[in-house]
Amino acid sequence: DSNDYFNLHEVMRILGAYGYHEVWIEAGSALMTSLLSEKLINRAIIYIAPKHLGAHAYPAFSQKNHLFDHYQSFQWSQLGDDLCCEILY
């Protein structure tokens, strides 16, 4: 497994066995990177808010995320001051 925490394929298999076929995951950079690299995401919704979190905040995305690698489509929209990007894989 490419991450150090869970076998994500097994987690998804178990969720499917319980009848969960659509799962909403709120993820940080590490989990998002793992889900993308394991090809376990078919849609991502990314919200970007104009907030400064300070010099010690963790980045939400890294170069490893590959958010826009192998996407089918993406769409930007504005929600008040926030931006929303929906990406279909």
Side-chain angles (χ1 to χ4, degrees), residues 1-3 6-16 34-35 37-40:
D1 195 291
S2 67
N3 73 65
F6 296 103
N7 179 326
L8 296 174
H9 287 277
E10 183 67 7
V11 170
M12 295 301 179
R13 186 195 67 73
I14 291 169
L15 289 172
S34 295
L35 290 166
S37 67
E38 297 290 327
K39 297 184 179 8
L40 292 171

Side-chain angles (χ1 to χ4, degrees), residues 30-85:
L31 180 56
M32 185 71 164
T33 298
S34 295
L35 290 166
L36 285 168
S37 67
E38 297 290 327
K39 297 184 179 8
L40 292 171
I41 295 178
N42 59 13
R43 183 173 95 173
I45 300 173
I46 310 297
Y47 293 95
I48 302 171
K51 304 288 184 215
H52 180 71
L53 301 177
H56 300 290
Y58 290 105
F61 307 104
S62 69
Q63 295 294 337
K64 299 186 307 183
N65 281 123
H66 306 289
L67 279 175
F68 292 99
D69 290 357
H70 312 293
Y71 69 90
Q72 292 178 15
S73 66
F74 68 92
Q75 178 179 336
W76 288 96
S77 58
Q78 186 168 354
L79 303 168
D81 290 337
D82 300 345
L83 290 177
C84 177
C85 183

